[in-house]
Amino acid sequence: MNRSVEMNRSVKNYLELIRLPGIFTAQADILAGWMISGAAFSWPLFYLMLATSCLFSAGMALNDYFDYHIDVRERPGRVLPSGRISRKSALRLGILLLAAGLFFAFAAGWRPFLVSVALACAILLYDGLYKDGSVTGPVFMASCRYFNLLMALALAPFEGWGMIPLITGIYIFGVTVLSSKEVDGGKATVQTGICALCTGIVWLMVYALFLSGILPNFTGVILCAVFSMVLSTRVLALLTEHRPKDFQQAIKIMLLSIIFLDIVIASGFVPVYKSAILLLLLIPAKLSVRIFKVT
């Protein structure tokens, strides 16, 4: 009985380490990219779902490994500084998951594999070197989301395919800038403005891709206008709400909303009734976020 309880506690600790709710947003990128690429429903899609899950989890584990000394001061409740998982175990898990992610991407095809290598490099550069930079940190985090969506588009590349992931990249750039206030809170006019601006640029990007014919369905433009207005309104509320928990709640909403953004992007290429399938990922994401943090 005690062994079973201990095992359950250990599993829960590791799921907390890899930020379980965020995995479903990474999988949404893959499904959206697959829908847009028009690739067949086959094993490569399954392999990429596994690849993105492993690479995302690796990024989270390595993030906490490199952030250990900072988290001891700022987030002592996290699994590493609290001693629930050793730092060495987090490093081993991160390396193992990174290798597994590359393996599954290789199984999906040589193009997705090459993109996955770029994604793995972006993860390591962000986690280990450039996270603390006011510009480099958001840029490398944005590049992680860029390559994640690109990995699925690489299943069947077409003209302009490299432009589409810029939408998620710009969005995550803004979220990452805003996350700098997650711990201490306080007045954040610049960070809030940049984040709100990025949500507006997301709509401009979708509209530009519609005009260029890369995302030919006007439905995506309409949905993105609603998406950008709702999210920017939520972000601008932080001009008067300065507590750390206000920022944490806003960031959680924005990260889970990646699933909606992927629906928006996919709707620019396929009918809404198809892209709406991604809403199914919102169910495990919402359920798991009640137990595990997404940041």
Side-chain angles (χ1 to χ4, degrees), residues 9-132:
R9 187 180 294 119
S10 178
V11 170
K12 184 178 179 180
N13 288 336
Y14 277 101
L15 292 178
E16 181 180 340
L17 174 67
I18 64 173
R19 315 297 199 280
L20 178 63
I23 292 176
F24 304 108
T25 68
Q27 292 175 343
D29 289 346
I30 298 301
L31 288 176
W34 165 71
M35 289 179 182
I36 295 170
S37 71
F41 183 77
S42 57
W43 283 107
L45 173 61
F46 175 71
Y47 292 140
L48 285 187
M49 291 290 278
L50 292 175
T52 192
S53 300
C54 290
L55 291 169
F56 180 91
S57 300
M60 294 298 101
L62 293 172
N63 174 80
D64 283 14
Y65 170 80
F66 286 111
D67 275 3
Y68 175 78
H69 297 294
I70 297 174
D71 287 342
V72 167
R73 300 191 310 270
E74 297 182 353
R75 301 179 180 91
R78 279 188 171 178
V79 289
L80 297 194
S82 65
R84 286 177 284 152
I85 295 176
S86 70
R87 195 178 178 212
K88 185 179 293 185
S89 295
L91 177 60
R92 284 199 296 261
L93 178 65
I95 293 173
L96 178 63
L97 287 170
L98 204 66
L102 292 172
F103 171 79
F104 287 125
F106 180 76
W110 68 269
R111 288 191 187 91
F113 173 69
L114 291 179
V115 178
S116 74
V117 171
L119 173 54
C121 291
I123 290 170
L124 292 172
L125 288 170
Y126 174 78
D127 283 343
L129 293 174
Y130 296 111
K131 182 189 307 174
D132 297 331

Side-chain angles (χ1 to χ4, degrees), residues 17 23 36 45 50 52 71 93 96 99 117 122 142 164 171 176 184 187 195 218 225 230 232-233 247 252 274 278 289:
L17 174 67
I23 292 176
I36 295 170
L45 173 61
L50 292 175
T52 192
D71 287 342
L93 178 65
L96 178 63
V117 171
I164 296 173
Y171 180 77
T176 307
D184 299 323
K187 191 174 181 180
C195 188
F218 190 67
V230 172
S232 60
T233 300
F247 286 96
K252 180 177 75 172
K274 288 186 178 180
L278 272 65
V289 84

Side-chain angles (χ1 to χ4, degrees), residues 18-287:
I18 64 173
R19 315 297 199 280
L20 178 63
I23 292 176
F24 304 108
T25 68
Q27 292 175 343
D29 289 346
I30 298 301
L31 288 176
W34 165 71
M35 289 179 182
I36 295 170
S37 71
F41 183 77
S42 57
W43 283 107
L45 173 61
F46 175 71
Y47 292 140
L48 285 187
M49 291 290 278
L50 292 175
T52 192
S53 300
C54 290
L55 291 169
F56 180 91
S57 300
M60 294 298 101
L62 293 172
N63 174 80
D64 283 14
Y65 170 80
F66 286 111
D67 275 3
Y68 175 78
H69 297 294
I70 297 174
D71 287 342
V72 167
R73 300 191 310 270
E74 297 182 353
R75 301 179 180 91
R78 279 188 171 178
V79 289
L80 297 194
S82 65
R84 286 177 284 152
I85 295 176
S86 70
R87 195 178 178 212
K88 185 179 293 185
S89 295
L91 177 60
R92 284 199 296 261
L93 178 65
I95 293 173
L96 178 63
L97 287 170
L98 204 66
L102 292 172
F103 171 79
F104 287 125
F106 180 76
W110 68 269
R111 288 191 187 91
F113 173 69
L114 291 179
V115 178
S116 74
V117 171
L119 173 54
C121 291
I123 290 170
L124 292 172
L125 288 170
Y126 174 78
D127 283 343
L129 293 174
Y130 296 111
K131 182 189 307 174
D132 297 331
S134 58
V135 175
T136 56
V139 166
F140 276 98
M141 177 53 76
S143 69
C144 289
R145 279 290 171 174
Y146 174 87
F147 288 125
N148 193 54
L149 178 53
L150 192 72
M151 191 163 57
L153 291 169
L155 285 171
F158 54 91
E159 186 177 354
W161 67 298
M163 298 295 293
I164 296 173
L166 287 174
I167 299 168
T168 52
I170 291 168
Y171 180 77
I172 289 300
F173 180 90
V175 176
T176 307
V177 169
L178 187 65
S179 69
S180 64
K181 304 298 291 184
E182 186 179 13
V183 175
D184 299 323
K187 191 174 181 180
T189 305
V190 174
Q191 293 90 337
T192 300
I194 291 174
C195 188
L197 177 63
C198 285
T199 62
I201 294 175
V202 161
W203 179 81
L204 290 175
M205 275 293 302
V206 171
Y207 187 54
L209 292 177
F210 164 73
L211 292 177
S212 65
I214 296 174
L215 293 177
N217 292 351
F218 190 67
T219 305
V221 178
I222 297 172
L223 291 177
C224 193
V226 176
F227 176 87
S228 296
M229 283 190 291
V230 172
L231 268 295
S232 60
T233 300
R234 182 64 185 85
V235 171
L236 291 173
L238 295 171
L239 291 173
T240 56
E241 300 169 356
H242 302 149
R243 296 170 300 177
K245 70 176 184 178
D246 295 324
F247 286 96
Q248 292 162 13
Q249 180 65 16
I251 291 166
K252 180 177 75 172
I253 291 171
M254 295 196 74
L255 290 176
L256 292 181
S257 293
I258 292 171
I259 295 175
F260 290 109
L261 180 58
D262 283 324
I263 292 173
V264 166
I265 296 170
S267 296
F269 209 88
V270 301
V272 176
Y273 71 85
K274 288 186 178 180
S275 61
I277 294 172
L278 272 65
L279 285 172
L280 293 174
L281 289 171
L282 199 60
I283 298 172
K286 291 285 286 184
L287 290 174

